[in-house]
Structures are given as C-alpha cells and as structure tokens.
Amino acid sequence: MANVAIVGSGFIGRAWAISFARAGHDVRMWDQSPAATGGARDYIAGVLGDLVANNLLRGQTVDTVLDRIAVVADLAEALADAAHAQENTTENLDVKREVFTLIDTLAAPETIIASSTSAILPSKFTDRLRGRHRCLVVHPINPPYLIPAAEVVPAPWTSSETVKKTRAFLIDAGHAPLVMKRELDGFIMNRLQGALLEEAFRLVADGYASVEDVDIGLRDGLALRWSFMGPFETIDLNAPGGVRDYVERYQSIYSNIFPQMLRRVDWAGEVMATVEADRRKRLPQEDLGERQVWRDRRLMALAAHKRESDQEFGR
Amino acid sequence: MANVAIVGSGFIGRAWAISFARAGHDVRMWDQSPAATGGARDYIAGVLGDLVANNLLRGQTVDTVLDRIAVVADLAEALADAAHAQENTTENLDVKREVFTLIDTLAAPETIIASSTSAILPSKFTDRLRGRHRCLVVHPINPPYLIPAAEVVPAPWTSSETVKKTRAFLIDAGHAPLVMKRELDGFIMNRLQGALLEEAFRLVADGYASVEDVDIGLRDGLALRWSFMGPFETIDLNAPGGVRDYVERYQSIYSNIFPQMLRRVDWAGEVMATVEADRRKRLPQEDLGERQVWRDRRLMALAAHKRESDQEFGR
C-alpha cells in the first residue's frame, strides 16, 4: 500500500480520500484553507457509515478506513513519499498553474501528480513544469467511491509510464479507468453526456417531449442496458450478426435525423423556464438536498447490486 | 381485464404477448405465416420460466400467464372484442399500410390499433384509414417485459382519447410510457441514443478513445445515475441550486464542444474496422447468442433490484 496525497479538501477531495483509504492506502489531506479541512473527517466518517451499511467497505470497519486518513497542516507533509497526489482545487486555470508548480517542486521525483479537473486540459497548466512528464488529469464522476469510472487524460508530454502506473493504481482501488489517447475538450464522458443533453434540450424546446418523458426514456429505457454493457456492446447484441450488422440495418435511421442535430438550443434560454417548472413541480427547491441523499442511497444499492450480478453472471 | 390482439408473432410480438398476459389480459396472437406462430408458445413458456425465477411474474405461476395466451388462425378472431391491438410486422411501409387497412376494417370501432414500428411515422400508414383517429405507434425497447419504457406517438389525427387510453393501458401493464406531443423521426429514445452514438463513433474514429473506453464511461459512469433518475434529474441534483444553477455553471463546457459535433462520421466506414475488431476481441462472433442470454439475465436481475429499491427508497 502507498502514501497518497489529497490536495484540496472539498467534496471531490474528500470523496477521493474515502476511495483511496478504502483501498488500503495511507491518505494525507491538505487544504490551503485550514477552515476547509475542519469538518472533513466527521463528514468522511458519516459517509463511511453509509458505505459499511451497504457492504461497500471491502469487509473493513469504519475505524480501520478512517484511521488511514490524516489531515495535515503542511503541503510538503502531505506529499512526503506519496506515490500519487490528487489535486482538487477550484476550476480556475491560474489556481491550477500555481498549485501544480507548488506540488511539482515539493513532491519526490517519482510521485504522480493528477488533477481532478473536469474542464481544463492538462497541457494548459503543466507545460512549464520540470516534472510535466508525471502530470495528468484523473477526472472522476462524483462521488468516486460509488461511481467507478475515472478518466485518465495525458498531456502531450505525459510519459506512457505515468499513464500506465495511474491506470494500475486506479484499477487496484476498484476504479474503472477510461484512458484517453490524447487530450480533448470535455474528455470522454462530458462529451457523451453533452451530446445526449443537446438532443434532450432540443426535444423539450421544440415541444416534442416533456422533461419527464426524456428522463423516463433513460431511467426506464436506454440506461438499463447501458448501466452494465455500455452503448457499443448494446448495439453489438441488438442485431443477429453483431455491431456491423446493426449498423448496416439501422444506420439510416440515425443519419436521417443527424441534420436536425446541427442546431443548438441555448439551455439557459426560453427552454429553461419549461425545464425548471417541470423539475420544481416534481421536486421543490427546498427538497434538493434531501433528494441528493436519496440519490446516494440508490447509488449505493445499485453498486451493491452490480457487484452481486458481476459475481453471479459475470461481467 | 381486456382482450388484446397481437398481430405478427416474431420476437417483438411474443414479447408484448408476455407483457400483456402477465398484466392479466387475454392475448390472442395471429401471424400471416402459420409457420411463424409454431414455436411461439414454447418460446414464451421458456421466457416465463426465467421471469418466475426472478420473481417478475407478479406472484403468478407460469401456467396462469401462459393460459392467457392463445395462437389463433384467423385475424378477425384475434381482433374480436379487443381493447388494444398491437401490430408487429416487418418494418416496411407497404406492409404497414396493408396490415393497418386490414385491422381497421376488421376491428370493432373502439379497438385501439398500435404499431410497434421503430422507424416509420404513424401518419405515413394511417392517413387514409376510416378509423385513423384510433391509430398510433407504441414503440418498445426490446424486450418490453424487462424494459418498461414504451414510446406513444400520435399521428396528427390520433384522438387525445386514444392517447389517454393507451397511456393508461400501458401503465396498468407495468410500462413507463413516454408520450410524444407530435410525431418526429426517431421518436425520443432513438434520437437520444443516436446523439450519444454519433459522439461515440466520432471519439473512436478520431483516435481519442477505444470502443471499450466508451462502454466503460457509460456502464461504470454516466448510466448509473441515469438508470434510476434520467439525465435531467441528474443535472438538477448536480448543482446546489438545481438545474438552472447547473446550466449557468456548466453550459459553457458543452457549448464550447458543440461545434465539434457538426461533423458526422460514417459508422460503416473506416471506423467500423476498429469497432468490430475491438468487439470481436472481447466477444467472438460465435458467442453473441450466449451473450444475449447473459444480457437478459442481467436485465432481469436489474429489474428486480430496481423494484426493491423503488420500494425501499422511493422512486
């Protein structure tokens, strides 16, 4: 097991700490603002309690995992002998540049330095670093202790050794890394999500479907198969001869509608009144927090179900 | 409980028969080709056996449900006193026109006539019918006895009474109808799936991601939340102030990448070699059938899990 540094102790930093400590690593968390780390361990203890109740701590107790997480007052201390450092500061290029310069200066030469950024390309804030070959993005879906996917995005100068080690480190911690061959705006998951959302907003804006209809179409339809197979395997199994057969049979349905997807709807424009009214009718603003708790409970139950199904039927 | 006619006894017709019979309806199935109906009841009995083993028959026995399904030799007999007729013939406009003319002539005036077509707009084959006000599309995702979503698509002349009754009929049978306000190519689900697939093929064609990376991004990432919330509720819960707040914070990520989505990749072109090689490496051609059985078992387990989670945590 290794030492892991968590830089920035907001929700993403805390979530990574949980995931890495659960995997057996010694986690040291540092934040520029001492106030931010104040409630961190209490918060983490609460999440660990939920996880153990859903049998999602690999058979360990809350205390065993919690004891592996320390909040430290000094960045150098957090980085000491760290195999992996995970940065989780504000989504701001200047901040990322500054923090990465600091980490690269303080960390041992073999420490891998990963950013949780969802929107900034790694080349933008690692270009001038002496250790830029060991820098990259590892972008989670929140919360990473419940959603295994994590995007590994190299800058042009990130070494293949860095990518390889990061991938192995994530798999060992129970994650499912998607390794990009080179960086691209939005990475993989936000591009796929964005493509689907563009069409969803268009359907609502043009008056063909309600917000709820779109959600039904995913939660009671498309996303069921995708949640254990993904979209390529889904179409591979949806024609007798596999994916090529599927494309030969059905591509024309999709190519015919493609020209209708060239027009973008401003999500914050007129359509937002419809979207917000529909959502607030189903879920009043004051219940958003409670519903987030519900979401995490359902995610935990789904994670437990998937693990059981993997064991019973195979992946 | 009602009489339901199934016209066409291929996989979709059989699947609807299972779903409607499970809901308590008397189902009469007819096919133009007597050979096609030959193995239908044996096939259905096999599926019912799997369903009962997963506690997905509403507490009924296989025989109780099977006894409600009759294969009849005469279309008029199938349609006698039917509240709902579900057409499942070949995806060919001439065939649909012909079959709908026949059904409209033979069925009682109050019978609703629904087509399972995934690609033909209802206006194209119901325009000249005397009873065109009672015709519409009810498009399932296969198999409908495991995937609740079904698209209800009216033609311009479909009566609101027909839409309303169809919606109620589907909900009663355990389905989750998406009701389109007016017809549109690809309906809702194939448009959403298509939008995502376009980006998926682009990412692979441009060498940013592998087929497997895209599948991981959905099955271990995006599709987990979507499988019980849908995409709009997901973003509604992903910013402190709800969906408007989410869009204000993050729309620029998506609008920045939209211009890169205006170029279509031919799915059957050069990229197909990559896609097919990746899929066949993971799943040899001869194992496709076995993997489809695996998919249906996983879908059954997922359906059972979702029902339990709905009960435990609420929808």
Side-chain angles (χ1 to χ4, degrees), chain B residues 28-34 37 70-79:
Chain B
R28 281 163 305 182
M29 187 186 289
W30 175 85
D31 201 291
Q32 191 180 11
S33 146
T37 53
V71 174
V72 299
D74 191 61
L75 178 55
E77 193 187 339
L79 292 166

Side-chain angles (χ1 to χ4, degrees), chain A residues 46-308:
Chain A
V47 173
L48 291 173
D50 283 345
L51 289 172
V52 83
N54 283 278
N55 196 16
L56 292 171
L57 278 193
R58 300 184 170 192
Q60 305 167 102
T61 66
V62 168
D63 284 344
T64 305
V65 178
L66 192 59
D67 283 350
R68 297 192 190 115
I69 303 175
V71 174
V72 298
D74 191 62
L75 179 55
E77 193 187 339
L79 292 167
D81 297 320
H84 182 98
Q86 186 75 33
E87 173 277 328
N88 319 273
T89 58
T90 321
E91 288 285 55
N92 174 295
L93 181 55
D94 292 335
V95 173
K96 298 287 187 206
R97 279 189 170 280
E98 199 177 318
V99 174
F100 262 71
T101 304
L102 208 56
I103 300 174
D104 187 44
T105 309
L106 292 171
E110 62 278 11
T111 305
I112 285 174
I113 312 174
S115 171
S116 296
T117 182
S118 65
I120 311 179
L121 296 180
S123 64
K124 303 281 186 194
F125 55 88
T126 63
D127 51 338
R128 293 180 213 160
L129 300 180
R130 178 196 295 261
R132 63 183 196 169
H133 65 280
R134 45 123 164 217
C135 297
L136 77 180
V137 163
V138 175
H139 172 234
I141 298 203
N142 206 28
Y145 50 80
L146 292 179
I147 306 191
E151 296 176 306
V152 175
V153 187
W157 40 79
T158 306
S159 71
S160 58
E161 185 65 17
T162 298
V163 171
K164 208 172 130 189
K165 275 190 183 166
T166 303
R167 186 170 179 274
F169 173 76
L170 288 168
I171 289 175
D172 173 72
H175 285 283
L178 299 69
V179 180
M180 291 196 77
K181 298 192 175 70
R182 43 205 170 102
E183 63 180 21
L184 180 67
D185 294 313
F187 310 145
I188 295 172
M189 289 191 284
N190 273 339
R191 292 180 76 90
L192 294 166
Q193 173 171 243
L196 186 133
L197 283 174
E198 295 290 359
E199 181 59 20
F201 274 99
R202 231 176 349 245
L203 282 164
V204 174
D206 294 349
Y208 290 104
S210 71
V211 166
E212 179 66 4
D213 286 330
V214 169
D215 275 355
I216 293 171
L218 271 288
R219 75 169 184 249
D220 295 311
L222 293 168
L224 301 186
R225 294 173 302 191
W226 289 351
S227 74
F228 60 90
M229 297 195 295
F232 276 116
E233 180 159 13
T234 294
I235 63 173
D236 195 31
L237 298 182
N238 248 352
V243 64
R244 185 184 289 275
D245 186 23
Y246 179 91
V247 167
E248 281 164 6
R249 286 169 190 248
Y250 304 117
Q251 177 171 220
S252 64
I253 299 180
Y254 301 105
S255 58
N256 288 342
I257 59 182
F258 186 75
Q260 299 162 20
M261 296 186 176
L262 303 179
R263 175 181 54 92
R264 183 165 200 279
V265 162
D266 177 10
W267 303 357
E270 225 173 288
V271 67
M272 182 45 74
T274 309
V275 172
E276 199 175 29
D278 190 314
R279 286 302 311 151
R280 292 294 72 80
K281 196 177 70 190
R282 280 166 205 285
L283 183 70
Q285 188 87 11
E286 62 268 28
D287 296 345
L288 278 167
E290 197 184 308
R291 189 74 171 168
Q292 284 159 350
V293 174
W294 168 88
R295 173 197 61 196
D296 288 350
R297 294 223 167 102
R298 292 226 37 163
L299 269 177
M300 285 187 205
L302 179 60
H305 156 76
K306 282 195 68 176
R307 196 192 42 204
E308 284 156 26

Side-chain angles (χ1 to χ4, degrees), chain B residues 115-144:
Chain B
S115 171
S116 297
T117 181
S118 66
I120 311 178
L121 296 180
S123 64
K124 302 281 185 196
F125 55 89
T126 64
D127 52 337
R128 294 181 210 158
L129 300 180
R130 178 196 295 259
R132 64 183 195 166
H133 64 280
R134 46 120 164 218
C135 296
L136 78 180
V137 162
V138 176
H139 172 235
I141 299 204
N142 206 27

